[in-house]
Amino acid sequence: MNDEPTDDQLMRAFAGGDAAAFERLYQRHAGPLYRFVRRLLGSTAAMRGDEVFQDTWARVIGARDRWSPQGAAFRTWLFTIAHRLVIDVQRRSGREVAVDADADADTEPWSPADDGLHPWSGWPAPADDPGDQAFWRAAGVRLLECLDGLPAAQKAVFLLHHDDGVSLDDAAQALQLGFETVKSRLRYAMNKLRTCMGAYLPAALPAARGEKSA
Amino acid sequence: VTDPNDQGTPSPDAHLQAALRHAPDRDLQPPLALSARILAKARRAIAPPPWPHRFWTWLARPVPAGAFSSVLLAGFIGLMWRDGPPPEAVAPPAVAPAPQTTSVPSVPSASADPSPNAKQAVPTELLRRTQPTAAAPTQGAAVPEVVAAAPSMAESRSASASMPSALARQQASTASASPSMKGSADTMGAPSVPPDPLAAMVVAWRAGGPESAAPRRWWEALRDQTQGRWRDAEPVEGADSLLLAGPAGEPLGRLRWEPAAVRWQAAGDDRGWRAELSAGEIEQLRRTMPR
C-alpha cells in the first residue's frame, strides 16, 4: 500500500497550516513545472521563466483556502495557471498576435499523408540503450530548436501530452479548449516536429553513429 | 507511434518522447534562491497574523466595536468635563441683588481704603461697570474687591495658559519615548516567521535519488538544529568556506564553520546567514558531514 499522500491531501494540509506539506508539493512538481514554463516561453523569452514560475506558485499559495479538486488533478490545475501566465507574458510582450496568427495558419485539415513518420525509419529504437546516448542527446538538442519554431498553442499541447504525460482530456481542461481542438493541435505539432527532426536526421545520424563506434 | 491513417486520438510518439527525455534541459531545476523565496512565501502565508491585525479583526465585530465606541465616547465626555462643567452647561447665575452693593460700606474702612496705585491698576472698564450701582462714598470699597479678584483671575488665566505647556511637556516626554515604542510596534507588526535559509537545500536533496539519503539526513539535521537561530549576516567568503554541491553536482552554496556558529549563503543569493550553535553541536555536525 502506498502511504505517499496525494497532491490533494497535501494541498489541504497546507491550507490547514502545514508548511511541510507545501514543501513536498513543491518538491514533486517544481522541476517539471519549471521545465514546462521555460520550454513554453522558448529561448526568446526564457529570462521571464523565473518570474512566471514564481507567480504560478504564488497563485497556488494565495488560492490554498479556495482550492477544491472538483475533478481536476492538482497537477493539471498547476499547469493551467502556468500556461495562462505564459500567455499573459507573451501578450504583454506583443508576441500573442504572432502566436495566434501562427496557430490560425493551420487552417487546412491535417492530412495523414503529410505526417512525417518516415524519418524514424533510420533512427535507433527509442529505448535507453547506452550505445545510442550520443544520438539521443543530439536529437534532444535538435528537438528543443524545433519546439522553438512551434506556435505556443501547439507547443503547450505537445509538452503536456508528451513530456508531462497529461491525457488529452486533461490537456483540454488545462488549456480550456475543446477536445477536438486539442487533438488537432497535437497532430499539427507532432507533424511539424517530425518534419523538423527528419530534416536533422541525415546529418546527425552518421555523426552519432561515428561517435558511437569511436 | 501514431498511425498516420488513424484519424482518432494520437498516441504519444516514442521517438519524440525519447528525444525529449534526452534534451539538455531534462534535469533543469529552479534556482535555489528562487525556491527559497517561494518556500518562504508559503511559510509566511500560513503564519498566524500579528496581534495588531488580530486585534483589529476582533474589533471590527459589532459587539466589541459598540463597546469600544461607548468607552471612547465616555472618555471624551469625561475629558471635556474634567475642569468642571462648561459655562453653557451651568445655569446662569442669578442677577446680583442691588443690596449687595449697599453692604459694601460694612467693610472695614481700613481694608476698604484703596491706595491710589491700586485704583490705577484696576481697568477703567471695570470701574465704570461698578459705578452706577455704587454710591459715591462706596466706590473706593468696590474697587479693592475687584482688584482682589483680579489676581485670582490672572492666576487662573496663567494656569490655563500653562496647561498647554504642561500638555506639550507630556507630549514631548511621550515623543522622546516613541522611538523605542515605535520600534517595538514595528517588531510586533512583522510576521513572526523565523527565516529558514536551508529549506531549499533540503528540498533539493529530497529530490535526489536513493544515494542522496545520507546527505539529505545531514541537511535535515543541520536544518533542525539551526531552526529559529538564523540571523542576517555578511556574505560567506574566504578560503576557509566550503563550496557545497547538490545531488546533480550543482553548487548549492557556501558554508563556513565558526567556533560558536555556522554561516551559510545559498548560491544565487547575495545575503549571508549565521546561526549560533554550541561547540558540541558543531563538532557533531562537522564529524557527520558527508564528504
Side-chain angles (χ1 to χ4, degrees):
Chain A
M1 184 179 166
N2 189 5
D3 290 338
E4 193 70 11
T6 64
D7 290 345
D8 294 342
Q9 288 169 338
L10 289 175
M11 193 61 187
R12 273 194 291 270
F14 172 53
D18 184 355
F22 182 81
E23 284 181 14
R24 295 185 76 168
L25 263 182
Y26 185 82
Q27 181 190 327
R28 269 184 203 173
H29 302 293
L33 181 71
Y34 191 68
R35 214 163 43 237
F36 175 74
V37 167
R38 292 288 292 259
R39 285 176 173 174
L40 204 52
L41 282 168
S43 57
T44 52
M47 76 288 290
R48 308 290 300 272
D50 287 8
E51 173 195 332
V52 171
F53 179 77
Q54 186 170 351
D55 284 354
T56 303
W57 285 107
R59 300 275 176 103
V60 170
I61 293 167
R64 66 192 180 282
D65 293 327
R66 300 188 299 275
W67 157 255
S68 65
Q70 295 180 337
F74 171 82
R75 191 182 177 87
T76 307
W77 178 59
L78 188 66
F79 281 71
T80 303
I81 297 172
H83 176 254
R84 281 187 201 153
L85 290 173
V86 168
I87 296 297
D88 284 348
V89 165
Q90 289 175 334
R91 185 173 292 142
R92 282 200 302 271
S93 62
R95 293 191 62 217
E96 180 65 9
V97 176
V99 166
D100 282 348
D102 244 0
D104 292 345
D106 294 325
T107 45
E108 73 278 8
W110 178 82
S111 160
D114 294 338
D115 194 328
L117 189 66
H118 59 276
W120 303 157
S121 57
W123 283 40
D128 283 334
D129 180 358
D132 294 323
Q133 289 297 312
F135 174 85
W136 285 113
R137 274 200 296 272
V141 173
R142 175 66 184 173
L143 182 60
L144 292 188
E145 292 168 6
C146 294
L147 274 173
D148 255 357
L150 220 55
Q154 295 174 8
K155 202 192 306 186
V157 178
F158 173 76
L159 289 174
L160 283 175
H161 191 248
H162 273 64
D163 193 26
D164 295 298
V166 174
S167 70
L168 276 185
D169 278 326
D170 285 347
Q173 195 177 352
L175 303 176
Q176 297 173 312
L177 295 169
F179 179 80
E180 289 301 324
T181 308
V182 168
K183 196 168 80 174
S184 168
R185 286 186 181 178
L186 178 60
R187 284 188 176 282
Y188 280 120
M190 289 167 68
N191 191 25
K192 284 180 181 174
L193 289 174
R194 283 167 180 159
T195 305
C196 180
M197 297 297 280
Y200 139 84
L201 181 67
L205 193 56
R209 291 294 188 211
E211 191 179 320
K212 183 180 171 184
S213 62
Chain B
V1 176
T2 307
D3 179 359
N5 297 317
D6 178 16
Q7 286 280 16
T9 305
S11 50
D13 186 313
H15 287 86
L16 291 176
Q17 277 185 322
L20 268 178
R21 273 202 309 277
H22 291 83
D25 65 351
R26 66 190 180 280
D27 294 324
L28 196 63
Q29 291 288 331
L32 284 173
L34 181 61
S35 294
R37 275 204 300 276
I38 292 168
L39 294 173
K41 186 180 173 70
R43 277 195 304 277
R44 274 198 308 275
I46 57 171
W51 73 260
H53 184 265
R54 286 203 302 272
F55 174 73
W56 284 115
T57 308
W58 173 80
L59 198 60
R61 289 157 55 200
V63 174
F68 184 66
S69 52
S70 301
V71 169
L72 269 186
L73 191 64
F76 179 71
I77 291 171
L79 195 69
M80 295 289 290
W81 284 63
R82 190 181 56 173
D83 293 330
E88 60 270 18
V90 179
V95 178
Q100 191 180 358
T101 55
T102 58
S103 68
V104 170
S106 67
V107 176
S109 60
S111 64
D113 185 20
S115 67
N117 292 339
K119 249 185 183 176
Q120 280 171 1
V122 177
T124 53
E125 177 65 28
L126 284 175
L127 281 175
R128 269 200 300 274
R129 221 183 289 168
T130 52
Q131 274 168 0
T133 53
T138 61
Q139 270 183 10
V143 172
E145 199 174 331
V146 176
V147 171
S152 69
M153 285 170 66
E155 203 173 300
S156 99
R157 242 197 320 271
S158 73
S160 63
S162 67
M163 194 180 296
S165 65
L167 279 172
R169 275 198 302 277
Q170 192 179 349
Q171 283 169 358
S173 66
T174 310
S176 67
S178 66
S180 62
M181 290 171 69
K182 184 174 180 294
S184 61
D186 286 350
T187 312
M188 286 184 286
S192 56
V193 184
D196 187 6
L198 298 182
M201 268 50 72
V202 171
V203 168
W205 278 105
R206 280 179 185 162
E211 68 280 2
S212 306
R216 191 192 68 229
R217 277 197 298 275
W218 186 84
W219 278 102
E220 286 172 344
L222 178 61
R223 184 193 187 190
D224 290 344
Q225 290 196 20
T226 53
Q227 196 83 43
R229 301 190 199 183
W230 290 107
R231 301 285 179 274
D232 277 326
E234 294 294 312
V236 181
E237 293 166 346
D240 54 343
S241 61
L242 305 168
L243 179 62
L244 300 180
E250 76 281 14
L252 288 179
R254 300 193 83 88
L255 183 141
R256 186 163 72 203
W257 298 109
E258 291 181 349
V262 59
R263 299 265 302 272
W264 169 254
Q265 182 182 4
D269 192 355
D270 52 0
R271 290 174 306 171
W273 297 93
R274 185 176 187 275
E276 292 189 356
L277 293 171
S278 69
E281 287 174 318
I282 291 177
E283 176 57 28
Q284 188 190 352
L285 284 167
R286 292 187 76 157
R287 203 175 53 247
T288 55
M289 187 175 182
R291 300 293 168 195

